[in-house]
Amino acid sequence: GHGTQYPRMGLPFYEAFPVFRKIVDQADEICRPLLPGSLKEEIFKDRGKGKAFDQTLFTHPGLFTIQWATYQLLRSEGFEAQGFIGSS
């Protein structure tokens, strides 16, 4: 949930896995007109705990994006969830 985010979370997966990268890029595109900046840039910014990614406006879509991208990456590797409990 909120508070588990950290700077550059998911960046190694973004750089290494096209499936993960595609989901993050799609989320960034969808959120761009709704946010005052790029979701992807806020997630991957190289800094300590910063203001923008600690703001709910970026945190919730950022966490969901990383979670969804991770799930899609696992699915692409043959893992299939039997169910979910929450999204955060």
Side-chain angles (χ1 to χ4, degrees), residues 44-55:
F44 296 147
K45 207 178 265 185
D46 186 13
R47 55 167 155 60
K49 280 275 197 187
K51 294 177 184 166
F53 198 42
D54 284 345
Q55 294 175 6

Side-chain angles (χ1 to χ4, degrees), residues 17-76:
F17 299 102
V19 171
F20 191 94
R21 183 170 38 258
K22 178 182 175 187
I23 298 297
V24 172
D25 289 346
Q26 286 175 340
D28 184 57
E29 214 174 290
I30 290 167
C31 291
R32 201 167 284 263
L34 305 171
L35 298 173
S38 167
L39 178 63
K40 180 171 57 175
E41 288 176 15
E42 292 302 326
I43 294 170
F44 296 147
K45 207 178 265 185
D46 186 13
R47 55 167 155 60
K49 280 275 197 187
K51 294 177 184 166
F53 198 42
D54 284 345
Q55 294 175 6
T56 303
L57 185 64
F58 285 102
T59 305
H60 284 275
L63 288 172
F64 180 81
T65 295
I66 296 301
Q67 292 165 357
W68 186 248
T70 301
Y71 171 67
Q72 293 301 327
L73 172 59
L74 291 171
R75 279 189 71 205
S76 75

